[in-house]
């Protein structure tokens, strides 16, 4: 049979004193409110402030105004000047002098023939032969104001082409242009053809012979120029 080991009495007394002392301290703390302060200190949260460094805004320079680009100046187009060449004077009929025939030798005297009857006075028949008929001709009337001026070719405007073209054209009995040809070029084929196309739309007064219309040739100039 075993018996428990006996502990010393001094240790037991010391333990009891410590326990009693702790109870006294706890009671004192409760009576003085120290525990409440500790609890309040623990309850108060910690305030943390984050200070953010704000950079001042950078002012952007105002945008530059857009440059104004002026459109290139286009040359002013002048309508072609139309100049009418005067028609050549009508050719007069040429009369070549005729040498009179030498008188034949007088025949031998014969029986006297009866004298021819003399023309009655005032009959209008003269001894002299009748004069040849000269036809009355009038030239065609080429009035450039009646023509619609042709349009300046756009390609010639861009290429700055100018010049004067001389055209010959045939006018029929109705006054319209049958055909035309270039007598003197402006130096540019586009301008020559534009003048011919514009001339084909014209209508003139035809030439006449004894009051009857007839075909005839005439001349006209087209001056192409650009005005600065």
């Amino acid at each position: 049979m075993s018996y428990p080991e006996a502990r010393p009495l001094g240790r037991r007394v010391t333990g009891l004193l410590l326990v009693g002392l702790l109870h006294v301290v706890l009671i004192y703390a409760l009576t003085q409110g120290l525990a409440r302060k500790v609890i309040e200190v623990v309850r108060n949260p910690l305030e943390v402030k984050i200070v953010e460094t704000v950079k001042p805004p950078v002012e952007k320079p105002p945008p530059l105004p857009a440059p104004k680009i002026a459109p290139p100046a286009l040359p002013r187009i002048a309508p072609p000047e139309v100049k009418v060449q005067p028609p050549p004077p009508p050719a007069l009929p040429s009369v070549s002098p005729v040498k009179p025939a030498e008188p034949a030798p007088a025949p031998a005297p014969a029986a006297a023939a009866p004298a021819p009857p003399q023309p009655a006075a005032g009959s209008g028949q003269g001894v002299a032969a009748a004069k040849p008929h000269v036809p009355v001709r009038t030239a065609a009337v080429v009035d450039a104001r009646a023509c619609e001026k042709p349009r300046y070719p756009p390609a010639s405007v861009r290429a700055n082409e100018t010049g004067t073209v001389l055209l010959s054209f045939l006018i029929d009995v109705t006054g319209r242009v049958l055909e035309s040809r270039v007598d003197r070029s402006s130096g540019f084929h586009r301008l020559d053809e534009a003048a011919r196309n514009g001339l084909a739309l014209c209508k003139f007064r035809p030439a006449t012979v004894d009051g009857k219309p007839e075909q005839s040739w005439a001349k006209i100039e087209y001056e192409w120029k650009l005005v600065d």
Side-chain angles (χ1 to χ4, degrees):
M1 181 175 183
S2 60
Y3 296 95
E5 184 180 357
R7 295 183 180 179
L9 181 61
R11 290 183 179 179
R12 295 178 62 184
V13 174
T14 303
L16 292 174
L17 289 177
L18 289 176
V19 172
L21 181 63
L22 287 175
H23 281 82
V24 172
V25 171
L26 180 60
I27 293 170
Y28 177 78
L30 291 176
T31 56
Q32 296 297 325
L34 294 177
R36 187 187 306 169
K37 291 182 181 180
V38 172
I39 293 173
E40 289 179 358
V41 171
V42 173
R43 284 181 180 179
N44 290 334
L46 295 177
E47 294 183 1
V48 180
K49 294 184 180 180
I50 301 174
V51 180
E52 182 179 359
T53 331
V54 180
K55 297 182 179 179
V58 180
E59 295 183 359
K60 296 182 179 180
L64 297 177
K68 296 182 180 180
I69 302 175
L74 298 176
R76 290 185 295 168
I77 302 174
E81 296 184 2
V82 183
K83 299 178 182 179
V84 179
Q85 297 290 328
L92 298 176
S94 59
V95 179
S96 58
V98 179
K99 184 179 180 180
E102 295 181 358
Q118 296 293 330
S123 62
Q125 295 180 359
V127 180
K131 295 182 179 180
H133 173 69
V134 179
V136 179
R137 296 177 180 272
T138 59
V141 179
V142 181
D143 189 1
R145 293 174 299 179
C147 296
E148 182 179 355
K149 293 185 178 181
R151 181 170 174 259
Y152 216 117
S156 298
V157 175
R158 292 191 295 268
N160 200 25
E161 296 176 354
T162 58
T164 303
V165 54
L166 175 63
L167 300 177
S168 292
F169 58 99
L170 179 61
I171 304 174
D172 67 359
V173 294
T174 63
R176 297 190 179 277
V177 178
L178 288 180
E179 59 177 300
S180 62
R181 62 171 180 259
V182 178
D183 286 353
R184 185 180 67 247
S185 174
S186 64
F188 301 98
H189 179 70
R190 281 190 291 259
L191 298 182
D192 296 345
E193 290 302 313
R196 291 187 61 192
N197 294 335
L199 182 62
L201 303 176
C202 296
K203 189 174 183 180
F204 308 102
R205 185 183 302 174
T208 60
V209 177
D210 292 337
K212 295 181 180 181
E214 71 166 358
Q215 295 183 3
S216 62
W217 285 87
K219 292 180 181 293
I220 196 170
E221 274 188 352
Y222 282 84
E223 183 179 3
W224 302 90
K225 61 182 179 180
L226 296 172
V227 181
D228 295 334

